[in-house]
Amino acid sequence: MPSTRTYAPRGALVFDTRLLGRQAGSALTQTRTVPAPEDLRLELVGVPVGADVALDVRFEAVSEGVLATGTATAPLAGECARCLAPLTSSVTASFQELYLYTDKHDKYHEKHDKHEKHDRHQEHHEHEEQDDEERYLDGDLLDLEPAFRDAVVLALPMSPLCREDCPGLCAECGVPLADAGPGHRHDAAVDPRWAALQQLSEQGDDKHQDRRTGAIDLQEG
Ligand SMILES: [Zn+2]
Ligand SMILES: [Zn+2]
């Protein structure tokens, strides 16, 4: 066993796969509610630390290790990307990850290093290589946290909204437009794009004015 790798799993997301055994094809499903670990968040939204996360995981023994397939459902808290109002929501993330038996992994490397793995590393960018990171069992213990964390963070919304049609903030004064109502506007300062439109409509008005003036002239004459 190479000493550079740390196999020691810790935390609530460690599952004991002893009952599963190593007979390829045997499977068992476990459900568990765990407290959310730290740092499950993006800039605007995240899973509150310690919040209840519902896990439903199927473990299946395969020749190289244990395949973990599951879903995690977690509450979310954050702020709306448009109006910055606080919001709560939930996220469901699916994951599938192979955990290799540590006592078999040398054999696995011999087999794979020569073939596709070498090619893949040449073609992939650095951040994509991390997706190929191999995970290992620690004896019978399987630490689901890394796979769980990757899946949940990936499922978090980049731009969470308090509601689908949130109108956001007034660009002029910053008031939430949902509170300000449809009549909210500022006449003094005009956006240059609107100024161009306004000019066009004023030109149109002038033409109407001319015709009206002409009509009046005819009536008078
Ligand atoms: Zn909003
Ligand atoms: Zn305003």
Side-chain angles (χ1 to χ4, degrees):
M1 198 186 288
S3 57
T4 49
R5 288 180 197 276
T6 51
Y7 296 109
R10 59 180 103 88
L13 287 145
V14 175
F15 288 80
D16 190 342
T17 64
R18 194 176 23 176
L19 285 174
L20 181 67
R22 289 198 174 190
Q23 173 112 43
S26 70
L28 65 87
T29 299
Q30 287 196 27
T31 57
R32 187 186 281 188
T33 301
V34 300
E38 290 181 356
D39 291 330
L40 286 179
R41 59 177 307 109
L42 298 178
E43 198 178 339
L44 291 173
V45 76
V47 182
V49 177
D52 282 353
V53 179
L55 273 176
D56 190 339
V57 195
R58 182 175 187 268
F59 298 100
E60 184 184 353
V62 295
S63 59
E64 307 100 327
V66 174
L67 186 65
T69 309
T71 57
T73 304
L76 286 185
E79 55 188 46
C80 175
R82 286 189 198 151
C83 73
L84 308 180
L87 62 84
T88 55
S89 174
S90 69
V91 65
T92 298
S94 305
F95 51 87
Q96 182 167 66
E97 197 76 44
L98 174 64
Y99 286 75
L100 301 169
Y101 295 129
T102 47
D103 52 333
K104 282 194 178 177
H105 94 270
D106 287 336
K107 222 187 283 174
Y108 181 83
H109 268 268
E110 277 171 30
K111 203 168 64 183
H112 287 250
D113 277 346
K114 283 175 194 156
H115 305 299
E116 75 230 71
K117 199 148 180 51
H118 186 64
D119 295 335
R120 272 192 295 165
H121 274 230
Q122 283 181 330
E123 284 166 22
H124 281 52
H125 296 297
E126 261 176 49
H127 69 278
E128 281 170 324
E129 279 181 30
Q130 287 184 348
D131 294 342
D132 294 339
E133 200 181 322
E134 288 162 5
R135 305 196 198 285
Y136 296 88
L137 287 150
D138 177 16
D140 293 315
L141 300 180
L142 186 155
D143 185 4
L144 205 58
E145 179 160 343
F148 159 84
R149 180 177 289 281
D150 288 355
V152 172
V153 171
L154 205 66
L156 293 175
M158 294 283 284
S159 301
L161 297 179
C162 63
R163 59 177 219 229
E164 198 79 359
D165 60 346
C166 171
L169 300 173
C170 171
E172 285 295 323
C173 70
V175 78
L177 290 173
D179 300 342
H184 181 81
R185 61 159 61 133
H186 301 262
D187 291 328
V190 179
D191 184 301
R193 285 166 297 182
W194 289 114
L197 280 175
Q198 206 163 47
Q199 214 170 9
L200 280 176
S201 89
E202 271 164 14
Q203 280 166 8
D205 284 344
D206 288 343
K207 275 176 203 156
H208 286 296
Q209 205 92 47
D210 290 342
R211 262 185 237 136
R212 247 177 278 140
T213 314
I216 291 163
D217 285 343
L218 277 177
Q219 273 179 352
E220 279 176 356

